[in-house]
Amino acid sequence: MTLDFTPAAVLFDMDGLMIESERALLQCWREASQELELELEDALWLSFVGLSDRACHALLLERLGDEALLKSLLHGLQVRYDAHVEAGLPVKIGVLELLALLEERGIPRAVVTSTRRERALQKLTTTGLLPHFHDVIAGNEVQHTKPAPDIYLLAAQRLGVPPSECVVLEDSVPGVRAALAAGMTPIQVPDLVIPDDAVRALGHRIVDSLVHARALIEPALR
């Protein structure tokens, strides 16, 4: 189902959407958990996808019930993941081609991520994606992160475009809910978390890859 309007801007999530980071994070989660002899299932980590760091940490503390243990787990996770980020994480298939199309047609672009700004800029720089965007809006720039609409509304404000004319590319459910709450048009490209019936009932577009997302967007561009 192609778009029925020409987007004034296209807003991109980062992790799991443009950058192949979720699998690396999941492996780091497993290793850090095993090091501390914690029995933490993959499903718990997958439930964090799309949420801010502070939201994830609060949920983890509730599960572990021990702040010192939480700090040890996060430290082990951070050390391992830092090595992946510094080495340069791969980008998703189709992202560069989609960005080239939007650049050619003069469509404004922004990254809208729950990740804190310093880390987001690091990832976008090491992957070579940063020069393709007009702005980066990070999770620590708003009080309420995804699934609240604040971060997407801030993106539209910074780009000077109406929220109703923005297309949002997201992999996570919190991101999709944030885009819908902001009055935007989301296209979901799921990564590790497969949309269930409740998610599909939201009525938004869901595609298998950014290649397919481009196929939806391109006919709507002037």
Side-chain angles (χ1 to χ4, degrees):
M1 183 168 53
T2 58
L3 298 176
D4 54 5
F5 68 98
T6 300
V10 178
L11 311 179
F12 290 71
D13 179 48
M14 185 178 70
D15 290 301
L17 185 280
M18 293 193 295
I19 300 177
E20 188 69 83
S21 55
E22 304 297 352
R23 286 167 180 79
L25 264 170
L26 180 56
Q27 183 58 37
C28 294
W29 162 266
R30 289 168 176 165
E31 292 172 1
S33 300
Q34 290 168 3
E35 183 178 57
L36 295 171
E37 299 182 347
L38 295 173
E39 295 184 3
L40 298 175
E41 64 278 10
D42 289 353
L44 177 61
W45 181 83
L46 291 174
S47 71
F48 300 155
V49 172
L51 300 178
S52 66
D53 287 347
R54 63 177 178 266
C56 296
H57 296 172
L59 291 169
L60 264 176
L61 181 58
E62 183 179 335
R63 170 66 179 269
L64 296 174
D66 185 322
E67 192 161 348
L69 188 57
L70 172 62
K71 288 181 179 179
S72 295
L73 176 62
L74 294 176
H75 175 73
L77 177 63
Q78 193 73 52
V79 169
R80 289 169 171 83
Y81 190 51
D82 280 347
H84 285 277
V85 173
E86 289 169 7
L89 294 162
V91 297
K92 291 279 192 174
I93 292 172
V95 64
L96 294 176
E97 292 81 1
L98 175 54
L99 287 169
L101 170 68
L102 297 173
E103 289 175 29
E104 177 188 331
R105 303 297 176 88
I107 305 298
R109 305 161 302 282
V111 177
V112 185
T113 175
S114 295
T115 301
R116 67 185 188 278
R117 185 171 187 82
E118 181 182 0
R119 174 66 109 183
L121 292 176
Q122 180 188 19
K123 288 182 176 181
L124 293 167
T125 299
T126 57
T127 55
L129 291 172
L130 186 59
H132 296 282
F133 292 94
H134 297 93
D135 207 343
V136 177
I137 297 86
N140 60 328
E141 297 181 63
V142 293
Q143 183 175 0
H144 304 291
T145 57
K146 304 172 187 179
D150 305 34
I151 196 166
Y152 277 118
L153 293 173
L154 178 58
Q157 179 184 338
R158 284 194 183 172
L159 292 178
V161 297
S164 61
E165 296 179 18
C166 292
V167 168
V168 171
L169 293 166
E170 271 282 357
D171 69 295
S172 74
V173 176
V176 168
R177 292 188 182 279
L180 289 171
M184 299 180 179
T185 299
I187 299 174
Q188 186 177 8
V189 188
D191 188 22
L192 295 182
V193 181
I194 305 302
D196 58 19
D197 290 343
V199 174
R200 292 183 180 277
L202 295 173
H204 61 291
R205 296 164 175 82
I206 303 175
V207 296
D208 293 333
S209 71
L210 288 171
V211 175
H212 293 108
R214 175 183 172 175
L216 289 182
I217 295 170
E218 187 168 11
L221 302 180
R222 294 172 182 169

